Amino acid sequence: METLDYDVAIVGTGLAGLRTAIEVLRRDKGRLGLRVAVISKLYLMRSHSVSAEGGTSAVLYPEEGDSFELMAWDTIKGSDFLADQDAVWRFVHIATQEIRLIERWGVPWNRRADGRIEQRWFGGLSFPRATYAQDKTGFFEMRALYDTLLKYENWDRFDENFVTSIVIENNEFKGFTAIDLKTGNFRYFRAKAGVIATGGAGQLYRITSMAASSTGDGYGLAYNAGLPLKDMEFVQFHPTGLVPRGILITEAARGEGAYLINKDGERFMKKYAPSKMELAPRDIVSRAIMKEIMEGRGIYDDNSGLYHVWLDMRHLGKEKIEERLPFIREIGLKYLGIDIVDQPLPIRPTVHYNMGGIHVDIDGKVLNANGSPVKGLWAAGEAACVSIHGSNRLGSNGTNECLVYGYIVGNDVYNYIEKERPALPNPSQNILLAEEDRIFGKILGKESGGEDVYQIKDELKDTMEKYVHVYRTGSDLEKAVIKIKELKERYKYIKLSDKSRIFNYNLEHALELGFMLDIAEVIARGALLRTESRGAHARLDYPNRDDANWLKHTIALKGAEGPLFSYIPVKITMWKPVARVY
Ligand SMILES: Cc1cc2nc3c(=O)[nH]c(=O)nc-3n(C[C@H](O)[C@H](O)[C@H](O)COP(=O)(O)OP(=O)(O)OC[C@H]3O[C@@H](n4cnc5c(N)ncnc54)[C@H](O)[C@@H]3O)c2cc1C
C-alpha cells in the first residue's frame, strides 16, 4: 500500500471538482502552501461535465426584466417546492459572479448584436437566462477551468485512480482509498480535507444521456461509510433522448423553438402545459411524452422496438441551426443519418440527472446520521444534495450548481484549514488493510461463485427501466425492490474472469456494480414509501402532491437489512407551496 499525503483530496474532475480545486488554490496563493490532489477514475477531461450542452443560468440583466427573485422563484416552483429556499437564494446570487468569472477564464459565451452575453430560453424559466456557448457549453466551461487550474503549481492530478472508500473514524475524515488502475496498486490518499465531486448515477438505467462512468460511486461511497443520502427517489428524465440509446438532444433545441409532435402530427404539449408548451419543466414534458406513447399516439421504431415522438426543428432554418445547434445536427447525422434541417428526430425520455445525493448543509459540508457535519468532509456538484433542485431540477441549473458549489466548498475548505490547522490524520491500519483485502482478496481473489458482473448489471438496468420509470406504481416498485434484493444476493457470488492487476476494468465494473445495487435499492424503496406525486416522482396510484404528509426530504441510511428511512423538514423562507401550473 502506497500512502500519498495532501492537504486537500478532491475526488472527481468534472465542473464541481475542478472549480473546487481552483478556489482552494486561488484563496491560498501559496500562503499556507496547501497541496491539492485531484483524483479521477477517468482521464481528467473525460468527466461527464464536458457533454453539457445547452446552457448555464444566471441573472445578468435586471434592467431587462430578470431578477434574483424571479430565478429563485422559477427554481423553487420547478422543484415542486421541495428545494431548500435559503440555499436557492444564495445559489442565484453567486451564479451571476461565476458567469462573469469564467468568462474571464476563457469561456466564449455567445454574444448579442450589442456585444453583451446572449441568453436563451430553457424549460420552466420566466426569463431567457441560460447563458451558453453554442450547444457545447460544458465543454467550453471545462476547458476554461482546466486552463485556469494549470496556472497553479501546488496540485497533482491522479487520472485513472478509482476511489473505493472514504476513511472516517470518530466522525472525522481521514482520507480516501483508491486503486491506481494503471498498475493495480492500492493507494491511501491521506488528507486533512476531502471533497466528493463524483457526479450522478444515470447508468442504473438502460436508456440514459449520462456517461458510462456515471455510476453513482460517490453516493455508494458515502452510503457505505454510514452517511445519509437525501431524496434519492427523484430521478430526472430528460424529455428528449435520441432513440434508441438516449443520447441527449439538448433542451436548447426547444429553447430555440423546436416542436414536439405525436404520430398524428399534433403539437401535443398544448394539452399538458398550454402556456409554456414545449418549454414546460422536464418532469411535465417527460410525462406528456410517456402519456402520448401509452395512449397509442407514439411512433413505433422497428429497429429498437421502442415507441417515440418527434422533435421537429425544420422550421428553425439552416442558418439558426448551424449557429446555435451545430452539435445537435452532428448527433442526428452521425447516429441516425438524419439531418435536422429537413427531418425530425425520434426522441423519448432518457435518464439525465439525480436530484438527490449526499446529504450536505448549505456550505456543502457532509452531514452524518445525526445531522451534524463530518469533520473535514465536503461534497459538491451532482454528487451532493443541498437541496437546490428539490424534486425536479430546471434545465441549465446543473452546471451553475457545480460552479457555485465549487466556489462555496473551496472557500469553506480553505477557511477550515486556515482556522483549525488540522494535522494529517492517522487512521488505524486495520481499516486500510480490511479495504485492501475486500478488493484484492474477497472480490478479485475469489475463485468460487459463478455470477457474472455484466449479467447482473443488465438485469438491474432492465428492472429500473421497467419498474422505476417516469410513471410509477406501488406494485411496480415492489417488484423492483424484490428484484434488486435478489440481484444483491447474487452479487455476493460474482466471480471475475480477469484476475490481473493492470487496467482491470472487470474489477472496476464489479466495484461500480456494488454501488449501483445499493443506490437502486435506496431509489426504489424511497419511491415506494413516498405515497404522493411530486416533481419527477409521479405515482399513478397517488397522483396528487400531498404537502400535509410529504413536504419533507427523504433521508436514507444503510442498515443491516437494507436502507433505513427517516424524514427532515424542507426549509421554506419566502414562498409557501402553491399549485404548480404552467
Ligand atoms: C448530456 C448531458 C448534458 C447536460 N447539459 C447540461 C446543461 O446544458 N446545463 C446544465 O446546467 N446542466 C447540464 N447537465 C447536467 C450537468 O452537466 C451535470 O450535472 C454536471 O456537469 C455534473 O458535474 P460534476 O462535476 O458533479 O460531475 P461529473 O462531471 O459527472 O464528473 C464526475 C467525476 O467524478 C469522477 N469519479 C466518479 N467516481 C469516481 C471514483 N469511484 N473514483 C474516482 N473518481 C470518480 C469521474 O471520473 C469524474 O471526473 C447535462 C448533463 C448531461 C449528462
Side-chain angles (χ1 to χ4, degrees), residues 11-17 39-42 44 47-56 122 137 161-164 197-200 209-211 213-214 217-218 221 248 250 352-353 380-383 393 395-400 402 515:
V11 189
T13 56
L15 287 170
I39 308 164
S40 181
K41 68 177 175 179
L42 301 166
L44 185 148
S47 305
H48 183 62
S49 292
V50 286
S51 47
E53 297 175 0
T56 302
F122 249 71
T137 306
N161 274 248
F162 185 92
V163 170
T164 68
T198 44
S209 66
M210 289 166 79
S213 53
S214 299
D217 303 358
L221 290 167
L248 187 73
T250 172
H352 185 64
Y353 187 86
E382 195 168 338
R393 173 174 75 83
S396 71
N397 259 356
T399 44
N400 48 5
C402 292
F515 296 141

Side-chain angles (χ1 to χ4, degrees), residues 170 200 260 338 358 368 491 510 533:
N170 307 321
L260 286 168
I338 290 178
I358 300 168
N368 64 19
Y491 179 76
S533 288

Side-chain angles (χ1 to χ4, degrees), residues 122-363:
F122 249 71
L125 305 188
S126 316
F127 186 89
R129 70 169 76 85
T131 313
Y132 65 100
Q134 290 184 326
D135 50 2
K136 300 172 188 162
T137 306
F139 167 75
F140 287 116
E141 291 176 345
M142 280 289 286
R143 204 180 63 168
L145 293 188
Y146 180 53
D147 284 353
T148 302
L149 195 52
L150 288 176
K151 292 197 301 200
Y152 299 93
E153 284 176 357
N154 261 5
W155 66 284
D156 294 313
R157 60 190 278 183
F158 293 90
D159 289 1
E160 297 178 317
N161 274 248
F162 185 92
V163 170
T164 68
S165 77
I166 313 172
V167 184
I168 297 175
E169 264 181 324
N170 307 321
N171 199 42
E172 203 176 307
F173 168 77
K174 297 198 169 170
F176 297 109
T177 59
I179 306 168
D180 177 3
L181 294 170
K182 294 178 279 299
T183 59
N185 287 346
F186 186 66
R187 286 184 154 161
Y188 166 45
F189 286 93
R190 181 160 72 155
K192 299 168 184 171
V195 180
I196 305 167
T198 44
Q203 287 298 321
L204 292 179
Y205 287 79
R206 174 72 59 204
I207 297 177
T208 176
S209 66
M210 289 166 79
S213 53
S214 299
T215 47
D217 303 358
Y219 307 139
L221 290 167
Y223 185 68
N224 283 294
L227 301 172
L229 300 179
K230 182 158 77 191
D231 292 339
M232 289 302 289
E233 64 269 33
F234 299 103
V235 175
Q236 177 159 81
F237 287 78
H238 191 294
T240 57
L242 193 67
V243 171
R245 294 301 300 276
I247 294 170
L248 187 73
I249 304 301
T250 172
E251 190 161 314
R254 282 171 288 133
E256 298 293 349
Y259 299 152
L260 286 168
I261 308 278
N262 65 16
K263 105 171 183 302
D264 306 322
E266 180 195 12
R267 269 182 84 188
F268 55 84
M269 281 310 298
K270 64 177 185 278
K271 291 180 287 193
Y272 304 95
S275 70
K276 283 271 174 201
M277 295 290 287
E278 281 87 354
L279 283 175
R282 290 174 175 174
D283 56 334
I284 293 174
V285 183
S286 290
R287 282 198 288 278
I289 294 172
M290 289 315 292
K291 203 143 201 188
E292 291 296 300
I293 290 174
M294 282 151 66
E295 292 176 359
R297 291 182 297 278
I299 301 103
Y300 184 71
D301 174 52
D302 278 333
N303 289 330
S304 60
L306 292 167
Y307 283 89
H308 64 81
V309 296
W310 298 115
L311 183 70
D312 193 350
M313 285 163 273
R314 288 174 293 185
H315 54 287
L316 301 182
K318 193 169 175 201
E319 199 182 324
K320 192 170 185 181
I321 286 173
E322 277 180 345
E323 186 206 327
R324 301 192 174 185
L325 302 166
F327 187 44
I328 295 309
R329 189 170 181 214
E330 191 185 319
I331 290 174
L333 282 167
K334 206 164 169 176
Y335 291 97
L336 295 180
I338 290 178
D339 189 346
I340 58 170
V341 170
D342 45 46
Q343 260 182 287
L345 288 176
I347 59 90
R348 59 179 280 133
T350 181
V351 168
H352 185 64
Y353 187 86
N354 293 85
M355 267 71 73
I358 300 168
H359 182 32
V360 296
D361 72 5
I362 195 167
D363 293 321

